[in-house]
Amino acid sequence: MIYTLTLNPAIDYRMNTQKIIHGDTNRALSEELSFGGKGINVSKVLKNLGIESKALGFCAGFTGAALVSHLDECGINNDFVELCGGNTRINVKLCDGQNCETEINACGPKVSEDEKNILFDKIKNTVSDGDTLILSGSVPSGMGGETYACIIELVKDKNIRIVVDAQGELLLNTLRHKPFLVKPNLSELCGIVGKDLSTPDEIAGGAKKLRELGARNVLVSLGADGALLADENGIITSVCSHKGDAINTVGAGDSMVAGFVAGADEGYEYALRLANACGGATAFSVGLAEKECVEKLLKTKNA
Ligand SMILES: Nc1ncnc2c1ncn2[C@@H]1O[C@H](COP(=O)(O)OP(=O)(O)OP(=O)(O)O)[C@@H](O)[C@H]1O
Ligand SMILES: [Mg+2]
């Protein structure tokens, strides 16, 4: 089974306005709600590819209940620990008609030590040999930069593929446990290695550095510039992105993670191509990558 973990999921509330005047009452022209969180996005793309997964994490309050109902309606297996206080956060996105988006991301509910232990026990008791555990995104305030490393410790005696898509020390601290895959984007990679990387050689150098620190495979996503994989056999492979009109790149990286995991048993070269097609399919869609679009991109030559 593939497990995704979303410790701080969110409902995104997007309001489209003509113009935002600060300090005044503004009216929306339209509004949309979408359920998100990076691990949940990965589960959704896997589902679109016809692959089952189980979404784990924390939820709270009426927004958390709505999130779980949404996952049930989507047919995504889930087992969230319900927190006793607060609400799963609502992130507000304000679009002002000039394609300029202002975001206010909420901090989310507090997680007590007992609640953290309930989730950790669940992970320890459920994830077993042959499974994949995908650790994505930020963690609730108070849980700290060792969180993902601690979660890996829980399952370190089992034969599990660990995937980490996170920033800074959250990712860095997992490397000593030799995760199967890490997927930084370019700015995350620069942040982790502590310097600006721009040429293909510099980016490959940054990816190799993460391998030296312990990661088995390092997939660097480069947005419209494609992606670079430093694999566990020491091979560096680059792909150009698919060409098309990008509509929405939010979740492109999560889609890439889903694609790589879905293709990994068929070799890393194929996994990279599938990952690139999934990222592109999300960029070219209003929502997340759908199978039909992924298959169409996979057949095109430029990947
Ligand atoms: N404009 C684009 N055109 C084609 N493909 C794209 C575009 N943007 C992203 N992609 C594809 O999606 C992959 C992931 O994109 P990106 O590097 O933006 O991820 P990210 O920053 O981690 O995104 P997020 O964290 O929002 O999911 C890219 O490597 C590429 O394959
Ligand atoms: Mg990302």
Side-chain angles (χ1 to χ4, degrees):
M1 175 61 86
I2 300 173
Y3 293 92
T4 61
L5 185 68
T6 312
L7 294 178
N8 205 5
I11 297 177
D12 286 343
Y13 187 41
R14 179 184 303 272
M15 295 180 123
N16 302 306
T17 64
Q18 205 150 43
K19 192 173 175 201
I20 296 170
I21 304 168
H22 290 277
D24 208 341
T25 301
N26 296 275
R27 295 201 183 276
L29 298 171
S30 62
E31 59 258 355
E32 297 137 35
L33 278 177
S34 56
F35 293 89
K38 304 185 83 56
I40 289 170
N41 289 344
V42 176
S43 276
K44 284 185 172 176
V45 175
L46 287 170
K47 170 88 189 169
N48 292 348
L49 296 176
I51 298 169
E52 214 187 333
S53 70
K54 189 169 207 172
L56 307 175
F58 294 118
C59 66
F62 77 102
T63 44
L67 173 76
V68 169
S69 309
H70 167 77
L71 291 174
D72 291 341
E73 276 164 26
C74 294
I76 293 172
N77 302 313
N78 60 84
D79 189 2
F80 278 70
V81 172
E82 201 181 333
L83 302 172
C84 64
N87 289 294
T88 289
R89 63 201 172 129
I90 299 176
N91 293 336
V92 179
K93 321 268 169 187
L94 301 171
C95 300
D96 70 359
Q98 270 81 57
N99 254 342
C100 181
E101 189 170 284
T102 306
E103 300 189 22
I104 306 175
N105 287 348
C107 48
K110 295 256 172 321
V111 178
S112 71
E113 196 60 21
D114 282 352
E115 289 164 335
K116 185 187 90 177
N117 289 334
I118 292 171
L119 179 70
F120 280 19
D121 284 347
K122 200 187 279 284
I123 292 171
K124 201 172 174 177
N125 297 328
T126 351
V127 181
S128 47
D129 283 346
D131 288 341
T132 298
L133 176 60
I134 302 175
L135 308 170
S136 302
S138 61
V139 301
S141 58
M143 281 189 75
E146 278 288 340
T147 302
Y148 287 155
C150 292
I151 290 173
I152 300 174
E153 291 264 350
L154 301 171
V155 295
K156 72 172 192 296
D157 297 331
K158 300 177 188 174
N159 177 22
I160 288 161
R161 278 183 175 171
I162 301 284
V163 177
V164 186
D165 178 5
Q167 297 188 6
E169 59 176 6
L170 259 182
L171 184 146
L172 197 57
N173 291 335
T174 66
L175 297 180
R176 64 178 187 270
H177 295 300
K178 308 198 176 340
F180 170 71
L181 176 73
V182 297
K183 200 237 45 90
N185 62 23
L186 183 57
S187 79
E188 289 160 350
L189 181 66
C190 294
I192 292 163
V193 300
K195 56 181 174 190
D196 279 350
L197 309 166
S198 50
T199 67
D201 280 353
E202 286 171 353
I203 297 167
K208 279 187 199 156
K209 177 83 191 150
L210 297 201
R211 284 203 57 237
E212 281 160 25
L213 291 170
R216 283 171 55 194
N217 297 289
V218 180
L219 175 56
V220 186
S221 67
L222 304 167
D225 292 327
L228 176 144
L229 175 70
D231 75 24
E232 63 181 342
N233 304 311
I235 298 170
I236 303 277
T237 314
S238 292
V239 281
C240 299
S241 70
H242 289 279
K243 300 295 161 254
D245 291 329
I247 298 175
N248 153 51
T249 60
V250 176
D254 309 329
S255 308
M256 176 158 252
V257 168
F260 194 91
V261 167
D265 284 339
E266 289 171 58
Y268 296 141
E269 196 260 326
Y270 175 74
L272 176 61
R273 286 204 304 120
L274 185 57
N276 194 36
C278 289
T282 288
F284 303 151
S285 317
V286 175
L288 293 167
E290 296 284 349
K291 191 172 185 173
E292 203 182 316
C293 183
V294 173
E295 284 176 344
K296 202 173 107 197
L297 292 180
L298 254 188
K299 285 187 196 136
T300 63
K301 276 207 178 116
N302 63 327

